[in-house]
């Protein structure tokens, strides 16, 4: 169809404006396109928790084969960003994974209950799957790569992305023949469709090799991972690319949300997800043991069975179904049926020498609008270690239609009940709080701390308290800053913005970011009471965090009063400043130790609680506040 004159004028104006903004910059080896203005905003804002860059790819990201790890192209790219934003606290995270863009589509979905990881944290995704996509069918690659790009935008609409193509032997052969590799043609179609910058390191390096500046064997010892000399060639290309990209657009006043266009390829499915084995949609026979420790990461926990005949059943809608498990020398075989059809078989691999993550597709090309049922059966002697199901589609939401209180009750109903007897004198320093709970009125409760206090807020414990004290209306204000404790809040009168402006009746201080400094907690308490003397205070000892953290590493069920430790010092501050005190660390970790489950069963990532972990916090607070 011929374009109208008005449409032509509009296109000309758009191109003119883009050229004026510097967006027309392109070379044979990179395209700026829409740039990464949102990331420029985050670099400049330099907000705690927003500076993560997530590189997704293969062994090239890990620096395999490099003598100087600083020559990794990911590090070189970060150095380029820092040249333009020297004050930005950029954090380079690299996620090396098997199975290329196909598995990336599943692994980048929101809410990975199995892994307990959030790959798409931060603001910028750098995607490089060229090496691991080598053996994949190009038709599969185009769907998985586009689906992955869409998945990242669906995860967070302000994410920026960059596509990177590193050199493989197959690409070099095509360039030597004067052809553009099919993989790069597909990648560039996707990048153009979504306005994503692309960096063709493969073309840059191939030109150097074809021009005789370096041999391929000197560039890469194994054909994929560059040597130090090869990495320096990548670094040269990266410098020009980053400079062009970060000067193409001004830093915006605020990040702009992206709206996804229709898929470039009609078959693309952007519903990739990992359905955790503990999802209520997964039905299992009695011989499976959930919450067991995994011998490898990134799994937080596994579902384990040693019994042939053990079954898992999943009903779903979607176009593809697979599994992700851990295989080892003792692994069992599986048989499976889909929609009652003849069984398929998935044998345990014979070539593994230790625990290995295995993502595998069982069926593709299913009717994505139809209901399907997978039945997976352990079919031989051995051990099955299941992580979850790889699904392009959806499963029924067991909590659909439930209110928050009903939902957290359903989560807790599937857990062992918490047994805890709080001290009888715990209310001595919060009489007004208890009076409002008992007799009615509004109780303004400010939670001060870090993201762990965000978990505390996320437990919705105030709904449990209001159920127990129906006359009282609790107004909960979560006043939080990631990775931040009272060593920060005590300075520069920050108590005004973080506490006093909320006019609290009860200030609750907790989290894991107080750096062991109970005196900083004391300072905050004193500053608040200087300006608002009637504020009551409840101090909480730490819960969750990493295994290396002091409150876990040196855990005792009762507070150790004979050594220098934060729990004891917090107890002393509470006594001297007349604050209420809850040693939550003791009953929290005791519950986890006694649960028969690994710590990861209660974790949302390496530090924070998942929905089960949040309910430990919430139910402990409910018990503590009960009369």
């Amino acid at each position: 169809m011929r374009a109208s004159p008005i449409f032509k004028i509009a296109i000309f104006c758009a191109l003119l404006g883009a050229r004026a903004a510097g967006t027309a910059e392109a070379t044979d080896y990179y395209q700026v396109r829409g740039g990464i203005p949102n990331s420029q905003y985050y670099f400049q804002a330099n907000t705690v928790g927003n500076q993560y860059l997530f590189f997704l790819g293969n062994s090239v990201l890990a620096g395999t084969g490099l003598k100087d790890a600083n020559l990794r192209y990911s590090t070189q790219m970060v150095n380029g960003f820092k040249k333009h934003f020297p004050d930005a606290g950029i954090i380079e995270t690299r996620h090396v994974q098997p199975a290329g863009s196909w598995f990336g589509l599943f692994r980048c979905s929101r809410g990975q209950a199995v892994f307990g990881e959030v790959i798409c944290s931060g603001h910028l995704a750098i995607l490089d799957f060229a090496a691991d996509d080598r053996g994949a069918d190009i038709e599969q690659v185009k769907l998985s790569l586009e689906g992955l790009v869409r998945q990242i935008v669906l995860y967070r609409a302000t994410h920026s992305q960059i596509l990177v193509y590193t050199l493989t032997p197959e690409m070099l052969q095509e360039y030597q023949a004067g052809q553009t590799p099919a993989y790069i043609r597909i990648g560039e179609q996707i990048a153009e469709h979504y306005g994503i910058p692309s960096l063709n390191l493969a073309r840059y390096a191939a030109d150097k090799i074809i021009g005789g500046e370096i041999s391929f064997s000197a560039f890469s010892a194994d054909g994929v991972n560059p040597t130090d000399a090869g990495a320096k060639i990548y670094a040269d290309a990266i410098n020009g690319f980053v400079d062009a990209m970060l000067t193409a657009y001004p830093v915006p006043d605020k990040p702009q949300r992206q709206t996804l266009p229709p898929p470039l390829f009609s078959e693309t499915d952007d519903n990739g997800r990992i359905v955790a084995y503990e999802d209520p949609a997964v039905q299992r026979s009695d011989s499976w043991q959930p919450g067991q420790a995994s011998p490898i990461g990134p799994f937080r926990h596994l579902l384990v069975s040693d019994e042939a005949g053990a079954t898992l059943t999943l009903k779903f809608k979607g176009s593809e179904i697979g599994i992700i498990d851990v295989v080892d020398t003792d692994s069992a075989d599986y048989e499976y049926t889909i929609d009652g059809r003849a069984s398929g078989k998935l044998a345990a691999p014979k070539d593994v020498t230790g625990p290995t993550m295995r993502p595998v597709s069982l069926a593709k090309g299913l009717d994505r609008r139809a209901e399907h049922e997978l039945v997976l059966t352990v079919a031989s002697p051995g051990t099955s270690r299941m992580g979850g199901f790889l699904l392009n589609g959806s499963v029924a939401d067991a909590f659909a239609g439930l209110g928050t209180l009903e939902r957290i009750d359903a989560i807790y109903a599937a857990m062992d009940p918490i047994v805890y007897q709080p001290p009888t004198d715990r209310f001595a320093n919060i009489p007004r709080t208890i009076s409002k709970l008992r007799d009615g009125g509004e109780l303004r409760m400010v939670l001060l701390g870090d993201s762990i206090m965000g978990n505390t807020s996320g437990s919705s414990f105030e709904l449990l308290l209001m159920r127990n004290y129906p006359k009282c209306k609790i107004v909960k204000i979560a006043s939080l800053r990631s990775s931040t404790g009272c060593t920060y809040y005590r300075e520069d009168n920050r108590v005004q913005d973080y506490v006093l402006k909320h006019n609290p009746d009860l200030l609750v201080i907790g989290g894991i970011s107080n750096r062991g400094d109970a005196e900083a907690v004391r300072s905050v308490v004193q500053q608040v009471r200087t300006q608002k003397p009637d504020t009551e205070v409840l101090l909480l000892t730490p819960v969750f965090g990493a295994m290396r953290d002091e409150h876990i590493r040196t855990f005792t069920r009762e507070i150790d009063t004979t050594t220098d430790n934060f729990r004891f010092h917090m107890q002393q501050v509470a006594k001297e400043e007349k604050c209420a005190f809850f040693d939550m660390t003791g009953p929290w970790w005791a519950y986890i130790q006694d649960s028969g489950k690994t710590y990861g069963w209660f974790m949302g990532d390496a530090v924070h609680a998942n929905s089960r972990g949040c309910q430990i916090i919430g139910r402990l607070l409910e018990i503590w506040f009960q009369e």
Side-chain angles (χ1 to χ4, degrees):
M1 183 176 68
R2 187 180 299 275
S4 70
I6 294 176
F7 181 77
K8 289 181 178 179
I9 292 171
I11 291 294
F12 173 79
C13 292
L15 290 172
L16 185 63
R19 187 176 299 276
T23 61
E25 173 124 27
T27 72
D28 288 340
Y29 72 91
Y30 69 75
Q31 296 274 351
V32 171
R33 297 192 179 90
I36 55 169
N38 282 353
S39 286
Q40 292 171 236
Y41 168 85
Y42 288 115
F43 285 144
Q44 182 165 286
N46 198 28
T47 305
V48 174
N50 278 342
Q51 291 293 20
Y52 290 93
L53 310 186
F54 47 107
F55 291 82
L56 299 174
N58 55 28
S59 57
V60 180
L61 288 179
T64 300
L66 292 179
K67 296 178 180 178
D68 181 359
N70 290 322
L71 289 174
R72 283 191 309 260
Y73 85 76
S74 57
T75 300
Q76 295 300 312
M77 192 174 289
V78 169
N79 290 341
F81 294 142
K82 287 183 176 179
K83 183 176 73 173
H84 290 266
F85 296 94
D87 296 327
I90 300 171
I91 301 171
E92 171 194 346
T93 61
R94 299 179 305 279
H95 301 278
V96 179
Q97 61 177 49
S101 56
W102 171 77
F103 184 41
L105 171 66
F106 301 104
R107 196 170 179 185
C108 286
S109 62
R110 191 174 184 86
Q112 299 295 352
V114 176
F115 288 155
E117 66 181 357
V118 183
I119 286 181
C120 297
S121 178
H123 56 82
L124 177 59
I126 299 93
L127 311 178
D128 169 21
F129 294 102
D132 274 357
D133 280 346
R134 292 167 66 193
D137 178 75
I138 195 66
E139 292 300 309
Q140 171 64 56
V141 167
K142 74 179 188 181
L143 303 183
S144 59
L145 188 57
E146 183 182 24
L148 174 57
V149 166
R150 295 178 66 84
Q151 188 84 281
I152 290 171
V153 177
L154 290 169
Y155 185 98
R156 186 173 297 149
T158 57
H159 270 137
S160 298
Q161 299 182 59
I162 299 170
L163 291 187
V164 176
Y165 320 119
T166 49
L167 186 63
T168 67
E170 296 84 0
M171 288 184 185
L172 179 59
Q173 289 175 3
E174 291 180 85
Y175 278 127
Q176 287 171 328
Q179 301 171 349
T180 300
Y183 185 87
I184 291 176
R185 291 200 306 270
I186 290 295
E188 287 297 273
Q189 289 179 43
I190 293 169
E192 189 68 29
H193 187 68
Y194 294 96
I196 297 171
S198 60
L199 174 58
N200 190 349
L201 294 175
R203 172 65 184 271
Y204 191 84
D207 284 350
K208 300 292 184 183
I209 295 167
I210 294 169
E213 295 184 36
I214 188 172
S215 67
F216 189 41
S217 60
F219 174 83
S220 173
D222 61 8
V224 172
N225 295 287
T227 61
D228 285 31
K232 289 176 182 177
I233 290 175
Y234 280 171
D236 290 340
I238 287 167
N239 289 334
F241 169 67
V242 172
D243 286 345
M245 189 169 53
L246 295 187
T247 56
Y249 287 90
V251 178
D253 293 332
K254 62 180 181 180
Q256 301 298 314
R257 295 178 61 84
Q258 303 175 63
T259 301
L260 280 173
L264 176 63
F265 308 113
S266 60
E267 303 91 347
T268 294
D269 196 333
D270 53 23
N271 277 329
R273 65 191 63 203
I274 299 177
V275 180
Y277 70 78
E278 74 265 30
D279 190 292
V282 180
Q283 302 297 310
R284 59 179 184 258
S285 58
D286 292 339
S287 55
W288 293 94
Q289 297 297 315
Q292 301 307 296
S294 174
I296 58 170
F299 296 99
R300 300 289 171 200
H301 53 88
L302 294 171
L303 179 69
V304 176
S305 178
D306 295 315
E307 183 177 312
T311 61
L312 298 174
T313 302
L314 175 64
K315 293 183 178 180
F316 64 94
K317 281 186 177 181
S319 61
E320 181 176 7
I321 188 68
I323 66 167
I324 181 166
D325 64 353
V326 173
V327 290
D328 205 342
T329 55
D330 62 348
S331 289
D333 299 335
Y334 293 115
E335 290 183 351
Y336 60 93
T337 63
I338 296 175
D339 299 336
R341 296 171 189 158
S343 294
K345 294 185 178 182
L346 179 62
K350 306 303 181 186
D351 57 348
V352 296
T353 58
T356 306
M357 178 169 65
R358 177 179 65 172
V360 60
S361 179
L362 300 179
K364 298 178 181 179
L366 303 173
D367 183 349
R368 70 176 67 182
R369 293 171 293 276
E371 296 275 0
H372 303 286
E373 183 180 73
L374 168 69
V375 179
L376 186 74
T377 304
V378 179
S380 71
T383 300
S384 172
R385 301 174 179 89
M386 179 63 62
F389 296 88
L390 304 177
L391 172 64
N392 246 327
S394 60
V395 296
D397 181 359
F399 301 132
L402 298 183
T404 302
L405 187 58
E406 294 172 307
R407 180 178 58 80
I408 63 175
D409 279 346
I411 293 168
Y412 185 60
M415 299 168 58
D416 293 332
I418 293 173
V419 178
Y420 168 62
Q421 183 62 50
T424 57
D425 61 348
R426 62 195 180 281
F427 301 146
N429 290 322
I430 52 170
R432 288 185 296 277
T433 296
I434 298 304
S435 177
K436 285 193 174 187
L437 287 172
R438 184 190 303 120
D439 302 328
E442 182 179 277
L443 175 66
R444 296 183 62 81
M445 184 184 299
V446 171
L447 310 184
L448 181 68
D450 55 12
S451 54
I452 298 298
M453 288 301 282
N455 283 158
T456 303
S457 178
S459 74
S460 299
F461 72 93
E462 76 280 1
L463 300 182
L464 305 175
L465 300 192
M466 286 190 286
R467 180 164 61 188
N468 293 335
Y469 295 99
K471 295 180 181 180
C472 182
K473 177 185 177 182
I474 297 176
V475 178
K476 180 190 69 180
I477 301 108
S479 188
L480 314 172
R481 188 173 184 268
S482 178
S483 304
T484 301
C486 287
T487 53
Y488 175 84
Y489 296 122
R490 71 178 175 184
E491 302 294 339
D492 301 326
N493 195 31
R494 292 186 178 116
V495 295
Q496 177 60 47
D497 286 337
Y498 284 94
V499 180
L500 292 168
K501 78 174 184 181
H502 301 299
N503 191 31
D505 299 305
L506 177 66
L507 171 62
V508 184
I509 300 176
I512 62 172
S513 302
N514 286 305
R515 302 180 184 175
D517 190 349
E519 290 306 307
V521 177
R522 185 197 302 272
S523 176
V524 168
V525 172
Q526 291 177 343
Q527 289 182 54
V528 169
R529 285 181 170 162
T530 295
Q531 300 182 62
K532 191 175 183 297
D534 62 343
T535 305
E536 295 181 334
V537 180
L538 169 61
L539 304 184
L540 307 177
T541 57
V543 294
F544 288 97
M547 291 294 291
R548 65 179 178 272
D549 290 343
E550 179 203 47
H551 64 283
I552 300 177
R553 180 171 43 82
T554 63
F555 175 76
T556 54
R557 296 206 170 197
E558 302 296 330
I559 293 176
D560 181 359
T561 61
T562 65
T563 63
D564 187 39
N565 66 86
F566 183 65
R567 289 165 70 190
F568 176 53
H569 292 315
M570 280 281 277
Q571 184 180 47
Q572 293 302 107
V573 168
K575 179 179 179 181
E576 293 162 7
E577 298 299 328
K578 294 184 169 45
C579 304
F581 175 73
F582 181 10
D583 176 35
M584 192 184 290
T585 308
W588 160 77
W589 193 245
Y591 176 86
I592 292 172
Q593 286 181 322
D594 295 341
S595 68
K597 307 289 196 303
T598 188
Y599 184 31
W601 175 251
F602 304 100
M603 299 291 284
D605 58 25
V607 174
H608 302 95
N610 61 17
S611 59
R612 286 184 291 266
C614 285
Q615 283 313 296
I616 302 175
I617 298 172
R619 302 296 161 156
L620 282 171
L621 283 168
E622 178 190 27
I623 295 170
W624 192 89
F625 274 103
Q626 282 178 341
E627 293 189 273

